[in-house]
Structure formats: C-alpha cells, structure tokens
Amino acid sequence: MILPEILSTPSIDFSKIRPDILLLQSKLVQWRRQLHIQPELGFHEQVTGMFISQILTTIGIPHKTGISKTGIVATIASSQPGPVLAIRADIDALPIQEENELPYRSQNDGIMHACGHDGHTAIALGTAYYLWHHRHDFKGTIKIIFQPAEESPGGAKPMINEGVLKSPDVDAIIGLHLWNNFPLGTVGISSGPLMAAVECFHLDIFGKGGHGAMPYQTVDSVIVGAQIINALQTIVSRNVNPLNSTVITVGELHAGTGLNLIADKARMSGTVRYFNPNLKGYFNQRIEEIVSGICQTFGATYELDYWWLYPPVINDKKIADLVCSVAMDVVKTSDRIVSSYQTMVGEDMSFFLEEIPGCYFLLGSANQDKGLTNPHHHPRFNFDETALLIGVEIFVGVAEKFCQ
Ligand SMILES: [Zn+2]
Ligand SMILES: [Zn+2]
C-alpha cells in the first residue's frame, strides 16, 4: 500500500551524493541484478554467498564465510584504533514465482527476491567498496554482516551465537530496508520501536464428526473454531491497553470434507504482532485461556502450538538521531524524513538490537513514474535502483560520523 500523503514524484539531488559513490552506480545495479537472477531461500544462499565472497575478494576485503551456514562477515579496519560499527544486510529471497518480465528476472523457479534483499546486499557491497578505499578517512573498524534467512527461520540469532558481534566487539549496528511504501528517497525512522514482535501459533480443535442434518449427535469443530476466531479479537479490543498497538490475525483455517458433514477437526494458524516488549508471554497465555474455555464449553479438545519468532525492532535514540541527521543531509528536505514511523511487520534485525544499540530504518524505493509501486512480497515487486546510491551514501555517512 502506498501512503497517499507522501506519494509524489521523487526528486533526488545528486549533488548530495559524493562523486566516488555516484561512480559506483553501474556496479551497484550490476550486482543487484546478478543477485536478482539467482535468488535463494534462507540458509540455502550458497551461490549468493559465493558471489558476495568473490566481490569482497576482488576488492581485497578480508572476510569470513560459512557463519551460520551461509552468512558472511567482512571486516574493514582503519589504521587508527576507534569504535566498531556493524552494518547488516539480509541476503535471502522468498518462495514466490516472479511475474516480472525483466532481462534479469529470477532464473530459479518459484524463488524470487521479492522483498528487496538483493538491493540490501548490493548496498552493503557498495558501502564495503567505498569504505575499503577510504579506510584511512575514519578510525576504528566497520564490520559488514551479510545475514542469511531473514524471511524465515531467522539468521540473525545464530550469527550472534557464532560470535559476529565479538572480536572486535561491536559498539553499534545499523541496517536498512528498501521500502516501496515510500517514494524514492524518503526515509522512515523511529528513535524507539520501529517494527513489531512476531509470534505465531497453530491450533488444532478436536470435536466429534457426524451427519450435517443431525448436529446434536456431534461436537462441531467448525462452530468451536468460529467462536475462537471471534473471541481472539477481544484480546486486542478488550484486554490490551489500546495505546499498545496489537494485531492478532488468523490467516489459515482448514476444516471439513463435505457440505453435509460435521467436521470432527479444525485447524487454524495465525500471527500476533505488538511493539511493547513487556507484553512478551501475555498473548500465549491469553490465547490458551480463551481456547481452553471455549473448547470446554462445547465439549471439544485442542492442541495449541505457540512460538516466539522475532522480538520488536527497537532503535537506540542516539544512533537513530545520528542516522536521521545523515539522512537529512542526503535527502535534503525534512518532508523526506518520516520520523516516528512504525510498521507491524517484523524483522530479525531485532536480535542484533537486543544485544547492542543501533538503528534500523526504511529507505523509500517506489517510483510511480516508472511503475515501480508493487508492495514487498508481490510477484511483480521491483524498486527504483537509484535507492542503491542513496543507501550507500547514508551508510557511509553514518560510518564516517560514528567512527571519527
Ligand atoms: Zn520480506
Ligand atoms: Zn525484507
């Protein structure tokens, strides 16, 4: 969905991008398109990993491969000691069949870079390229983290467990997501929660099947399921403080095999989203209370499988202010900065931000004039590649200011 109030023809002032980064554009586009051609799913990014490693080797940047299967960390050390900043890019694609007619469309059937992670990887490579060639212009160390499996099941946590934030210890981390909900060059940022926690559940309801004309002889799992779906929404509307934004969505419901049969089983699956980390544990418990009460009322039984996927993405105010001031220099006008932006989507960048201060932000990549407005995860998703330059400029600007 495009936010109508900020949808306008983007005007980018290229004088705000340093010449050495402008010169990188053809490389950025070439890298991004090569990645787009060969998308791979989470923890299977072998070709992607080899591609990244090859480029880093050609530039001359020391790096470690095979972290959490397919993750890579490149280290750019200046000649002077100083702070350590990490820059994170996710590298995985989605199980979607691409419908774009492009010379660089996906060659892997059923897999597509439909979220823009090919762009994130290209931006990280461009940032690495620039910072390596200007490594005497800053103090300290930049670590570039190429993370697998953001879409699922999550590569951030295993990379942290394998020590990517250690030796040298990382002081702060930044990352970005290209964002087709914004026109090219608009930056969405928050100095607190930016993205929601993601929790998920499967629920099986067991009733008693029978003839559709004689329901009194049965326990109708469809009726029980319907009551539960309705009641779950009261958690949002009647249990949680309305100032704590929350979403509960039942996205799947499966039951029954015939129009005149009472279904003995129903299965539903859903997701819970919220920003306030203090609510962790609450939804699991409340959903179970509701499910158990309704099942007992109707004489059904159930099995609830509930798990926590990602915590909320919460930015550090100081780092967010730094990113904001750099972004303001690049995009020029304050109406191109959407501060206090929040979205209920989730991201495993949150695990890094639980460990160390940092800032994740959104970089507008839609361009209505070029027909590039499809949302993320759409089979015709594509973005304006000018955003690659802007991403590199912001990353480099933050790196130089943090490491001075
Ligand atoms: Zn995505
Ligand atoms: Zn994504």
Side-chain angles (χ1 to χ4, degrees):
M1 185 195 67
I2 296 295
L3 300 177
E5 70 271 23
I6 52 166
L7 179 65
S8 58
T9 306
S11 63
I12 301 303
D13 181 354
F14 288 101
S15 71
K16 297 291 173 185
I17 312 242
R18 59 196 87 192
D20 281 2
I21 291 180
L22 283 175
L23 285 172
L24 273 177
Q25 178 64 349
S26 61
K27 272 195 172 64
L28 292 170
V29 169
Q30 189 199 330
W31 292 337
R32 181 263 161 160
R33 292 186 180 186
Q34 191 54 45
L35 289 160
H36 194 87
I37 286 173
Q38 54 190 38
E40 292 169 299
L41 297 177
F43 291 129
H44 296 277
E45 304 96 333
Q46 270 93 8
V47 176
T48 306
M50 277 190 306
F51 179 77
I52 295 166
S53 176
Q54 215 167 33
I55 291 167
L56 293 170
T57 304
T58 308
I59 303 169
I61 302 175
H63 59 281
K64 214 174 135 191
T65 59
I67 305 170
S68 304
K69 292 186 186 160
T70 46
I72 295 174
V73 177
T75 305
I76 303 169
S78 128
S79 46
Q80 300 178 69
V84 181
L85 178 73
I87 296 173
R88 176 271 203 171
D90 42 8
I91 64 171
D92 58 320
L94 285 155
I96 294 175
Q97 179 64 43
E98 175 154 20
E99 290 177 13
N100 284 316
E101 296 299 332
L102 295 165
Y104 54 92
R105 66 174 277 160
S106 168
Q107 300 291 303
N108 294 346
D109 257 7
I111 305 179
M112 177 191 175
H113 269 295
C115 201
H117 300 185
D118 48 348
H120 305 169
T121 306
I123 291 170
L125 285 169
T127 305
Y129 185 99
Y130 180 93
L131 290 173
W132 176 256
H133 290 291
H134 295 80
R135 62 190 180 279
H136 304 300
D137 297 349
F138 63 88
K139 292 177 182 164
T141 303
I142 310 290
K143 271 187 183 179
I144 313 251
I145 299 174
F146 296 91
Q147 181 214 298
E150 185 282 322
E151 296 287 358
S152 82
K157 190 77 183 162
M159 283 194 102
I160 294 166
N161 293 343
E162 288 194 34
V164 291
L165 298 178
K166 301 276 167 215
S167 52
D169 291 1
V170 178
D171 297 303
I173 188 162
I174 55 170
L176 68 77
H177 206 299
L178 294 170
W179 204 236
N180 263 18
N181 300 303
F182 289 155
L184 177 66
T186 294
V187 172
I189 197 163
S190 160
S191 50
L194 176 83
M195 291 178 168
V198 181
E199 299 179 357
C200 307
F201 62 89
H202 291 309
L203 171 66
D204 287 304
I205 299 158
F206 305 104
K208 186 181 167 208
H211 199 294
M214 291 178 278
Y216 51 88
Q217 297 174 345
T218 73
V219 174
D220 186 346
S221 66
V222 170
I223 292 285
V224 177
Q227 305 288 332
I228 288 172
I229 290 168
N230 278 330
L232 291 183
Q233 292 308 319
T234 65
I235 301 176
V236 177
S237 66
R238 288 298 175 270
N239 296 144
V240 175
N241 184 328
L243 299 176
N244 281 319
S245 304
T246 303
V247 170
I248 297 179
T249 290
V250 175
E252 276 185 59
L253 175 64
H254 308 279
T257 53
L259 62 82
N260 61 347
L261 309 177
I262 300 284
D264 63 340
K265 283 198 295 251
R267 180 177 175 85
M268 67 179 80
S269 304
T271 183
V272 176
R273 309 293 171 105
Y274 59 89
F275 292 116
N276 184 344
N278 295 332
L279 287 171
K280 186 175 178 186
Y282 173 73
F283 296 99
N284 182 13
Q285 183 203 327
R286 185 68 191 127
I287 287 173
E288 179 116 37
E289 281 169 4
I290 286 174
V291 168
S292 150
I294 290 174
C295 282
Q296 199 185 5
T297 302
F298 290 93
T301 56
Y302 70 93
E303 267 172 30
L304 177 64
D305 182 16
Y306 194 99
W307 68 100
W308 294 273
L309 194 62
Y310 301 156
V313 172
I314 301 180
N315 286 338
D316 175 80
K317 187 176 177 332
K318 231 170 99 186
I319 311 292
D321 286 349
L322 172 62
V323 172
C324 207
S325 75
V326 169
M328 186 78 93
D329 285 345
V330 179
V331 302
K332 215 177 62 169
T333 53
S334 55
D335 65 335
R336 290 278 175 209
I337 305 278
V338 185
S339 51
S340 307
Y341 185 75
Q342 290 188 311
T343 165
M344 300 303 279
V345 303
E347 244 285 349
D348 72 344
M349 176 76 180
S350 51
F351 287 114
F352 290 115
L353 295 170
E354 277 191 336
E355 300 290 319
I356 50 170
C359 175
Y360 197 55
F361 61 97
L362 304 163
L363 175 59
S365 51
N367 189 333
Q368 201 171 39
D369 293 351
K370 296 182 185 170
L372 301 169
T373 56
N374 281 321
H376 298 261
H377 295 205
H378 188 283
R380 290 183 187 274
F381 171 80
N382 201 3
F383 62 86
D384 190 325
E385 289 166 326
T386 313
L388 302 174
L389 276 179
I390 304 168
V392 174
E393 181 65 44
I394 295 176
F395 275 167
V396 165
V398 173
E400 285 179 346
K401 283 204 167 148
F402 188 81
C403 297
Q404 61 180 359

